[in-house]
Amino acid sequence: MKSLIIFIVAAAAVVVGAAYWTSTTTEVTASPSPSAQVSPTPPPTVLEDGTYKLDPGKSGMAWQGQKTLIVTWIDRGTINLKDGAVTVKEGKAASGNVVVDMASITTVSTGKGKDEMQMATHLKSADFFYVKKYPTAEFTLTSLEKDASSPDGYTVAGTLKLKGITNPVTFPATVSIDDNTLTMKASVQLDRTRWNVRYGSNKFFDNLGDNVIDDNFAVTFTAVATKVPTTPMPSVSGTPKVTPTK
């Protein structure tokens, strides 16, 4: 008990002393140290001229769809990117395309928690993407404009050919270049009915109940492309022949 009283008295003395020091000391406002300063905004991505060839092994796409009336029913999967390239001239994308391997569609998880292979097979059928007739889809770039909202932000515009139908699409993306490698990342919402994928859509079918499948599906992709080395002009060897004048 005696030691407890001594501790309380000592603590009170510390508090009173701190209060006195605070009341009698001139207030000082500390300036932030150089290391505490906010880092400057990184410079915007500069597109270097050349042709960049898609690296399918480092690229990929993920998809997500869901039922309209059951918000927890979400299906997810992947699709491979097969081929593609982009050409940059004078710091701007002059042309480009990406080929999607529709036969590579997989289902990673389903809303009911099973039958992933069955769903993948169904997606490849004529009910959805009819992969036997349309084994690939293709995005063709028409413009790539800088977005001032972020250093590596761009607005991508082009056309998507899917099931033999071509429609314009526009979406935001990030583009970066590092050591002759161009990387584009984006997430896109697509209305499947624009490409005549109607299965389970209440735009075309009645009395579907809770089997209505949302017309919009999400696609997230990463496209990695490596700069193609330029072929140097052949040098001319030897001494040029001089024709004597008459």
Side-chain angles (χ1 to χ4, degrees), residues 1-235:
M1 176 63 74
K2 185 180 295 184
S3 60
L4 176 60
I5 295 173
I6 292 172
F7 173 77
I8 294 173
V9 172
V14 171
V15 172
V16 172
Y20 173 78
W21 176 262
T22 302
S23 64
T24 57
T25 304
T26 303
E27 181 178 358
V28 178
T29 303
S31 300
S33 63
S35 61
Q37 299 291 339
V38 177
S39 300
T41 303
T45 298
V46 177
L47 299 181
E48 298 178 5
D49 288 3
T51 297
Y52 297 81
K53 183 74 172 175
L54 182 78
D55 185 340
K58 296 180 180 179
S59 306
M61 177 181 291
W63 62 266
Q64 177 176 303
Q66 65 185 75
K67 288 191 174 182
T68 304
L69 301 179
I70 307 177
V71 295
T72 58
W73 190 294
I74 299 175
D75 305 313
R76 296 183 177 92
T78 63
I79 313 176
N80 294 338
L81 302 184
K82 185 176 183 179
D83 194 13
V86 61
T87 299
V88 178
K89 292 182 179 179
E90 298 180 355
K92 290 190 175 183
S95 62
N97 76 309
V98 174
V99 178
V100 182
D101 182 7
M102 299 303 294
S104 70
I105 294 175
T106 68
T107 302
V108 175
S109 62
T110 69
K112 63 180 179 180
K114 59 180 181 179
D115 297 335
E116 288 83 4
M117 291 186 66
Q118 180 180 333
M119 171 171 280
T121 300
H122 194 193
L123 290 174
K124 295 176 185 178
S125 73
D127 282 344
F128 285 92
F129 299 107
Y130 204 175
V131 169
K132 185 177 181 179
K133 185 175 182 180
Y134 306 103
T136 61
E138 183 173 5
F139 172 78
T140 301
L141 180 71
T142 56
S143 70
L144 182 66
E145 298 295 333
K146 189 73 187 71
D147 183 351
S149 63
S150 65
D152 56 358
Y154 283 81
T155 298
V156 182
T159 59
L160 176 61
K161 185 177 182 181
L162 180 64
K163 290 188 69 177
I165 300 171
T166 302
N167 281 310
V169 292
T170 303
F171 54 90
T174 61
V175 179
S176 61
I177 292 184
D178 181 30
D179 194 22
N180 292 327
T181 298
L182 185 150
T183 302
M184 176 183 287
K185 297 181 179 182
S187 295
V188 191
Q189 288 281 338
L190 299 173
D191 180 350
R192 60 192 176 93
T193 62
R194 296 176 63 201
W195 290 272
N196 200 32
V197 182
R198 300 183 176 188
Y199 185 88
S201 170
N202 58 6
K203 284 183 182 178
F204 304 97
F205 302 98
D206 297 323
N207 305 316
L208 292 172
D210 60 8
N211 290 315
V212 176
I213 300 174
D214 204 310
D215 291 337
N216 292 317
F217 69 100
V219 172
T220 301
F221 71 86
T222 297
V224 178
T226 304
K227 191 174 184 179
V228 178
T230 56
T231 304
M233 294 292 292
S235 59

